[in-house]
Amino acid sequence: MKKRIIWNDIKGNRLLAATTWLFMAISAFMFALTCFLFVSLMTSVDMLMEKAQTPDFLQMHAGEVSETELVRFAEENEQVRDYQILNFLNLENSSMTLDGYSLTDSTQDNGVCVQSGNFDYLLDLENEIIKVSDGEIYVPVCYRQEYDLTIGENMQVGKDNFKIAGFLRDSQMNSMTASSKRFLVSSSDYEKMKAAGSEEYLIEFLLQEGADINAFAMEYTDAGLPSNGPAITKPLIRMMNALSDGLMILVILLVSVVLLLISMLCIRFTLLTQLEAGRKEVGMLKAIGISRGDIRQLYYLKFLALSRLGAVTGLLLAFLAKGTLSAYIQELYGVSENGLPELLAAFVCVALTEGVLLLSVKRTLKRTEKMSAVAALTGQHGEQKNEKRQLFSPQHLIVALVIALGIFMMILPQNLLSTISSPQFVTYMGIGDGEIRLDIRQTEDIAGKTEQVEKLLAGDEQVADFVTLRTTSCRVVLPDGSHSSLQVEQGSHTVFPVTYAEGESPKRENEIAFSYLCADELGLSVGDELLLSIDENTQEYTVCGIYSDITNGGKTAKAAYLHDDGSLMWSVFYISLKDGTVKDQWLSGYAKILSDNGISAKAVDIQEYVADTYGQTIRQIRIAAWVAVVAAALVMFVVVTLFTRLLVAKDRCDISLRKAIGFTGGDIKKLYFRGYLPVLLAGILAGILSGNLLGEKLAGLLLKTLGATGFRFLIDYKAVCGWIPVITVITVFCAILLGLLEIKNIRAYECCMGKE
């Protein structure tokens, strides 16, 4: 009996039922898609790292290596499960060509290596360990799409030609956020190429289960072992792998939350409309003795049925859509062998989403309990004390909120996109806002070559300004007596500053600034004091600032002056050129000057570096931004159309009366448009303000987890104040016109017959 009543109710209110189902399906789709992508990303990354046996601790080193000391350290340390030393041959990018595409402009450090013997394996696209033959080369998979490569094409390294035998997944350097890329060749080919590049070492350790990686890193540093290069840990590798695609997924998650709020508003509106239209039926049911609980259950069961249908629809659509959106994830990391976690996570997420919507329905249905049978049967509703029909009703507020949330949903990813694409975003990455960055690392006599470059830049008439920053490994001793290793960048940090969330850049002796993640890990804030120890020389420093940094794992420090320079690990130059200087010509000319002086350094255009590093992230956020625009426009169109049709149905008698006294259909439509104007303007204004202010805080929280703090939107006003409001106005006006079509079918005589 109940099923028949529910089915008849759905058939009798097709528009309301379809609208409810649509919003439930959209909410389920967005959250299920977020779950599918997130779980797919994390399981694929973990699977790749497991199959490749990624090291727990990796120290890159340029220079001589004493294997005897490393062996003694590894065998005496109880935390070490296995260890190895791998060779990596750095090559000049200008000497490498992929099927006619030169890597000259690549911002990555490209080089060749041989397959590992114990762990840290390079895998093929089936995630199997690669075995390479002489004359063959395996190319990092991230270059396959970038250069449109296929198996069998040629790659030239210097004077040697290789056949591209396949594409490799590198669990360490797969992501473009990793600054180096490894090409795989055979042992004999590697030996032939040794003279063409500079060799460095990857000193790698696998640790026992549950070992403290940070404590091990400190023990490695205390032992005085080779450390002329960055140290990388397994958690950092996992974060770098997940960073690019993770940002896109987090954007989709934020959009999903906004859509859920819109769905709750709209389902509440449709339910209230249905309760209003069916109040006489509710009164009749109460009059014949049916309890409030049974009446509420009838309505609730209908929404439960629509919720199940929406959940299934959303889950199926998400399953179909995830293949396209996760294609790049699968390209980089492979397809997860077990899809059950994805499905279970999506199912749970959809169940929670529909549960939130049904909870909202249940709360709204309590309104039926406040209505007496007499009031319902006589049409006396507690909330309608004024019987005069109005073209502008309190329910217009729902439309204004939906418009505001829709604009918020469009603006948030658009602002995030414009911010990441902006030249100023480099200051959130821990990179100075110069035009060119020049690095000297993984080479001999770094200090001497740094001084050479300083002299060359000082005498270059095309250089407007430059600054030298030298990085040294220190030990930081905290107030509680604990200590940790730290890489401190020394130099003038006021010339090309990064973004500071608190305090300011170090200017005086004994001042030091920390990146947000480093300060958070060490429990430091502005004004705290600590000790820095370099080669047994200890000095006291005061924390003067906390800055944004999402490079090098986001754990760095900056000082204007170190009392003991210690062993120089690498140097970085930030350079700005004079007006009229052609940047590309200067870069190519300077590369030749450095080469002629025997200096191995890499100079890159900072904007090209950002584009190469975050290009895929920017492309994915751009896709997410347009998906948000389409989804928001669709939601606004459906809501406004539905609201307008229901408003016309409610005002049918008034419209008929107006026609009877001489109003035309066009005159009546103008009245409705006038009623919508304040709603539309209020919604647009609220959406723009919330999108820029609240959206900035949400995006700031998102980027703060990655080390970018003090975040501010770099707003594209053409989008925020231009085409987004225009799309909104066009969408709303088209929806109003569609909703008002029923006016032409209302006759002037209907009011005399008492028909509504």
Side-chain angles (χ1 to χ4, degrees):
M1 183 66 180
K2 286 183 180 179
K3 289 182 180 179
R4 185 178 298 173
I5 293 173
I6 292 169
W7 177 243
N8 288 337
D9 188 37
I10 290 174
K11 286 198 297 182
N13 297 278
R14 289 187 178 89
L15 180 61
L16 294 176
T19 304
T20 303
W21 163 77
L22 176 64
F23 283 111
M24 287 179 164
I26 288 176
S27 298
F29 165 72
M30 292 299 293
F31 277 100
L33 183 62
T34 304
C35 262
F36 273 132
L37 293 176
F38 179 75
V39 178
S40 174
L41 174 64
M42 298 314 298
T43 54
S44 295
V45 167
D46 287 341
M47 180 189 68
L48 175 64
M49 293 179 70
E50 182 181 345
K51 288 200 170 185
Q53 296 185 42
T54 305
D56 294 296
F57 178 82
L58 161 68
Q59 174 67 59
M60 303 180 76
H61 176 75
E64 297 298 321
V65 172
S66 172
E67 291 193 34
T68 305
E69 292 180 10
L70 282 168
V71 169
R72 184 185 304 115
F73 170 79
E75 291 181 348
E76 291 177 357
N77 194 305
E78 295 180 354
Q79 295 187 83
V80 175
R81 179 158 49 98
D82 201 355
Y83 63 93
Q84 65 182 4
I85 302 172
L86 298 181
N87 297 52
F88 177 66
L89 186 65
N90 270 308
L91 297 171
E92 291 291 335
N93 287 342
S94 58
S95 70
M96 306 176 75
T97 304
L98 289 166
D99 192 39
Y101 296 98
S102 174
L103 295 182
T104 301
D105 297 328
S106 174
T107 60
Q108 296 283 316
D109 294 321
N110 294 291
V112 296
C113 66
V114 298
Q115 183 63 273
S116 171
N118 299 336
F119 54 94
D120 188 19
Y121 300 111
L122 300 179
L123 309 179
D124 61 18
L125 297 187
E126 302 299 324
N127 279 353
E128 300 294 334
I129 299 173
I130 298 172
K131 295 179 181 178
V132 60
S133 303
D134 292 345
E136 294 181 343
I137 193 166
Y138 277 77
V139 178
V141 67
C142 59
Y143 287 153
R144 182 164 81 162
Q145 281 189 350
E146 186 173 350
Y147 298 106
D148 192 24
L149 301 174
T150 57
I151 294 174
E153 292 177 337
N154 291 324
M155 176 177 177
Q156 188 170 353
V157 182
K159 297 180 180 180
D160 299 320
N161 283 309
F162 294 90
K163 175 186 174 183
I164 297 178
F167 302 93
L168 63 86
R169 293 190 177 117
D170 184 341
S171 66
Q172 280 189 47
M173 306 175 185
N174 227 27
S175 170
M176 289 302 290
T177 53
S179 60
S180 299
K181 293 291 173 282
R182 291 189 284 188
F183 291 74
L184 182 63
V185 295
S186 67
S187 298
S188 59
D189 286 333
Y190 182 90
E191 292 298 324
K192 292 176 186 176
M193 286 191 285
K194 264 190 177 181
S198 59
E199 197 169 37
E200 65 179 273
Y201 300 93
L202 308 181
I203 304 166
E204 302 179 339
F205 296 88
L206 282 180
L207 304 182
Q208 301 291 349
E209 192 73 28
D212 187 333
I213 297 176
N214 292 327
F216 176 81
M218 195 68 242
E219 290 177 19
Y220 182 92
T221 303
D222 291 343
L225 297 172
S227 57
N228 184 18
I232 303 171
T233 62
K234 192 172 183 178
L236 173 57
I237 293 170
R238 181 180 283 105
M239 188 191 80
M240 288 194 303
N241 280 331
L243 176 61
S244 299
D245 294 278
L247 277 176
M248 180 198 70
I249 295 168
L250 286 171
V251 169
I252 295 175
L253 175 61
L254 290 176
V255 171
S256 302
V257 172
V258 176
L259 267 174
L260 179 62
L261 292 175
I262 293 174
S263 298
M264 289 172 66
L265 279 173
C266 295
I267 291 171
R268 175 181 168 81
F269 168 66
T270 56
L271 178 55
L272 289 175
T273 302
Q274 195 169 356
L275 289 173
E276 172 71 19
R279 64 181 185 274
K280 289 186 178 180
E281 287 80 356
V282 172
M284 191 178 297
L285 291 172
K286 286 186 175 182
I288 62 175
I290 296 179
S291 69
R292 294 172 178 178
D294 288 338
I295 295 172
R296 189 168 67 245
Q297 188 183 36
L298 283 173
Y299 279 99
Y300 184 76
L301 287 175
K302 184 184 78 169
F303 280 91
L304 182 61
L306 291 172
S307 173
R308 288 173 179 171
L309 182 61
V312 172
T313 306
L315 202 58
L316 288 174
L317 289 175
F319 185 78
L320 294 173
K322 84 175 182 89
T324 302
L325 292 176
S326 65
Y328 190 71
I329 296 174
Q330 294 174 4
E331 173 91 354
L332 284 183
Y333 309 109
V335 182
S336 177
E337 294 177 351
N338 183 8
L340 187 60
E342 296 176 32
L343 196 58
L344 285 175
F347 180 81
V348 171
C349 198
V350 167
L352 290 173
T353 303
E354 298 300 331
V356 170
L357 293 174
L358 288 173
L359 182 62
S360 174
V361 169
K362 183 172 282 190
R363 289 173 63 88
T364 306
L365 282 172
K366 288 185 178 179
R367 293 169 65 99
T368 60
E369 297 181 359
K370 299 176 182 179
M371 191 190 310
S372 70
V374 174
L377 286 169
T378 58
Q380 298 172 357
H381 198 277
E383 293 185 1
Q384 290 187 330
K385 295 177 182 178
N386 185 2
E387 295 180 359
K388 185 178 178 181
R389 304 277 187 179
Q390 295 179 350
L391 288 174
F392 182 82
S393 69
Q395 289 176 330
H396 278 86
L397 179 62
I398 294 177
V399 177
L401 285 172
V402 169
I403 291 172
L405 287 170
I407 289 179
F408 178 91
M409 192 166 74
M410 289 192 272
I411 285 178
L412 177 59
Q414 184 62 42
N415 277 349
L416 192 58
L417 174 64
S418 63
T419 301
I420 295 178
S421 305
S422 169
Q424 298 176 46
F425 184 68
V426 294
T427 62
Y428 292 102
M429 298 171 62
I431 297 174
D433 61 349
E435 293 180 71
I436 291 164
R437 171 173 165 143
L438 191 151
D439 288 65
I440 300 177
R441 58 178 77 203
Q442 278 90 52
T443 185
E444 296 179 357
D445 190 20
I446 293 176
K449 290 175 180 176
T450 299
E451 291 179 4
Q452 280 184 271
V453 172
E454 283 182 319
K455 290 178 182 177
L456 289 170
L457 290 173
D460 193 327
E461 295 181 354
Q462 292 180 299
V463 173
D465 202 358
F466 76 92
V467 67
T468 310
L469 302 176
R470 297 171 169 84
T471 298
T472 304
S473 180
C474 308
R475 175 188 291 189
V476 56
V477 183
L478 301 174
D480 62 1
S482 62
H483 58 85
S484 177
S485 60
L486 183 69
Q487 295 169 356
V488 180
E489 195 174 54
Q490 175 193 186
S492 176
H493 298 284
T494 57
V495 182
F496 300 106
V498 298
T499 297
Y500 279 80
E502 298 178 44
E504 58 184 6
S505 57
K507 300 182 181 70
R508 294 174 287 275
E509 290 186 23
N510 295 46
E511 284 188 342
I512 189 169
F514 284 87
S515 66
Y516 166 73
L517 288 182
C518 190
D520 185 58
E521 182 179 281
L522 298 176
L524 296 171
S525 58
V526 174
D528 288 349
E529 295 183 347
L530 50 86
L531 297 175
L532 277 188
S533 176
I534 307 172
D535 295 339
E536 306 304 325
N537 183 10
T538 302
Q539 294 289 334
E540 188 176 89
Y541 284 79
T542 301
V543 179
C544 65
I546 295 174
Y547 59 90
S548 180
D549 191 356
I550 58 178
T551 61
N552 299 315
K555 297 178 183 179
T556 56
K558 299 179 186 294
Y561 176 79
L562 291 177
H563 295 276
D564 188 336
D565 288 348
S567 176
L568 186 61
M569 298 178 69
W570 64 77
S571 297
V572 174
F573 296 84
Y574 289 111
I575 305 161
S576 63
L577 302 177
K578 290 181 178 178
D579 293 340
T581 304
V582 180
K583 196 185 300 183
D584 290 342
Q585 291 180 5
W586 187 91
L587 281 168
S588 58
Y590 213 76
K592 187 176 186 306
I593 293 172
L594 292 173
S595 179
D596 291 343
N597 283 272
I599 301 171
S600 178
K602 185 175 81 169
V604 298
D605 180 340
I606 288 178
Q607 291 311 308
E608 285 187 7
Y609 171 78
V610 175
D612 280 0
T613 304
Y614 291 99
Q616 180 62 26
T617 304
I618 291 170
R619 286 190 289 272
Q620 289 181 329
I621 291 178
R622 183 175 286 114
I623 292 170
W626 281 110
V627 168
V629 168
V630 173
L634 176 64
V635 166
M636 285 189 288
F637 184 83
V638 171
V639 170
V640 175
T641 302
L642 172 68
F643 176 81
T644 308
R645 288 194 60 176
L646 292 172
L647 203 60
V648 169
K650 183 180 179 182
D651 295 338
R652 191 177 187 93
C653 185
D654 289 344
I655 293 169
S656 173
L657 181 60
R658 283 188 171 88
K659 282 191 174 184
I661 61 176
F663 281 81
T664 65
D667 293 333
I668 296 170
K669 287 179 181 178
K670 287 178 183 177
L671 290 174
Y672 279 96
F673 272 108
R674 286 173 191 167
Y676 267 112
L677 278 177
V679 175
L680 179 59
L681 291 175
I684 290 174
L685 183 61
I688 290 174
L689 289 175
S690 62
N692 289 324
L693 300 177
L694 179 59
E696 184 177 86
K697 292 186 180 298
L698 289 173
L701 289 173
L702 182 156
L703 290 172
K704 196 172 183 180
T705 61
L706 305 173
T709 187
F711 179 80
R712 293 289 181 272
F713 269 149
L714 302 172
I715 299 171
D716 179 2
Y717 287 99
K718 289 181 181 178
V720 172
C721 300
W723 59 262
I724 286 178
V726 168
I727 287 175
T728 302
V729 170
I730 293 172
T731 300
V732 171
F733 272 48
C734 289
I736 295 171
L737 285 173
L738 182 62
L740 293 176
L741 286 178
E742 181 62 21
I743 288 177
K744 68 180 181 181
N745 297 323
I746 299 175
R747 306 303 176 194
Y749 59 79
E750 291 183 18
C751 60
C752 301
M753 300 172 65
K755 293 184 178 180
E756 293 190 13

